């Protein structure tokens, strides 16, 4: 369980409670040049989001938060988000335009299957990147070894 905010100055109270994220909530960047969505899970502890994010609260019997985050991060939706974003140097997504976006909602079982497949692929991609980094280190070491032999 991550413990990054163990010494946070924010004390839990009724005032704070209404701003706390709930399981399945989606954070979507509302401002900035990197637009992304992320599904909150309670294993991260209590979180009050920054005002730079839209908090999208889903009806879990219709759409899973993790599925919505995957859809919002898809190439097609990223293109749409960039199209509705305003601003010359720093993008800002108008709430009204965000509310107009259409997202397909297959049955929950299909959403769960897609999310599981995406999670497995993300893990596979991360392992592949790590393997590639190790191979690059091995190559550099091999080249350096032979470079040192020739200069001796």
């Amino acid at each position: 369980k991550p413990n990054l905010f163990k010494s946070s100055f924010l004390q839990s109270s009724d005032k704070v409670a209404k701003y706390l994220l709930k399981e399945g909530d989606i954070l979507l960047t509302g401002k900035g040049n990197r637009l992304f969505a992320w599904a909150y899970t309670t294993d991260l502890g209590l979180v009050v989001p920054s005002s730079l994010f839209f908090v999208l609260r889903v009806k879990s019997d219709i759409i899973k938060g993790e599925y919505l985050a995957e859809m919002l991060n898809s190439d097609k939706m990223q293109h749409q988000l960039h199209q509705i974003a305003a601003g010359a140097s720093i993008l800002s997504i108008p709430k009204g335009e965000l509310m107009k976006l259409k997202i397909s909602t297959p049955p929950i079982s299909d959403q769960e299957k897609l999310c599981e497949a995406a999670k497995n692929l993300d893990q596979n991609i991360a392992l592949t990147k790590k393997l590639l980094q190790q191979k690059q280190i091995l190559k550099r070491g091999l080249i350096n070894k032979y470079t040192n032999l020739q200069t001796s």
Side-chain angles (χ1 to χ4, degrees):
K1 184 175 182 179
N3 207 2
L4 300 174
F5 306 103
K6 185 176 183 179
S7 61
S8 175
F9 62 90
L10 189 62
Q11 299 297 317
S12 185
S13 69
D14 289 341
K15 281 184 181 180
V16 172
K18 68 180 179 179
Y19 300 107
L20 291 172
L21 292 177
K22 294 179 174 39
E23 182 77 28
D25 282 354
I26 302 302
L27 291 180
L28 174 67
T29 49
K31 291 181 174 51
N33 294 321
R34 185 169 173 258
L35 304 176
F36 66 93
W38 172 73
Y40 168 75
T41 58
T42 55
D43 61 331
L44 295 172
L46 301 176
V47 174
V48 175
S50 162
S51 61
L52 296 175
F53 293 96
F54 287 111
V55 176
L56 309 176
R57 187 150 293 156
V58 298
K59 293 182 180 180
S60 60
D61 58 330
I62 297 172
I63 189 166
K64 305 288 286 178
E66 189 179 3
Y67 171 81
L68 179 57
E70 288 289 347
M71 292 299 100
L72 289 170
N73 289 327
S74 71
D75 291 342
K76 181 179 179 180
M77 290 304 296
Q78 284 292 304
H79 178 73
Q80 289 182 22
L81 288 170
H82 278 88
Q83 282 189 321
I84 66 172
S89 59
I90 298 177
L91 299 177
S92 178
I93 299 174
K95 184 178 178 181
E97 294 298 315
L98 177 62
M99 301 286 284
K100 293 177 187 176
L101 291 178
K102 303 275 188 229
I103 295 178
S104 66
T105 51
I108 294 289
S109 61
D110 290 348
Q111 294 177 37
E112 289 170 342
K113 287 175 189 172
L114 179 127
C115 290
E116 187 63 30
K119 181 180 174 183
N120 289 337
L121 287 168
D122 284 341
Q123 289 172 344
N124 189 291
I125 290 166
L127 287 172
T128 301
K129 285 180 178 178
K130 192 172 186 175
L131 181 60
L132 181 59
Q133 288 174 337
Q134 292 301 313
K135 287 182 178 186
Q136 289 169 334
I137 290 168
L138 183 61
K139 178 186 173 189
R140 281 193 300 273
L142 183 64
I143 299 296
N144 289 338
K145 179 180 176 183
Y146 278 92
T147 304
N148 290 337
L149 287 175
Q150 290 179 355
T151 58
S152 301

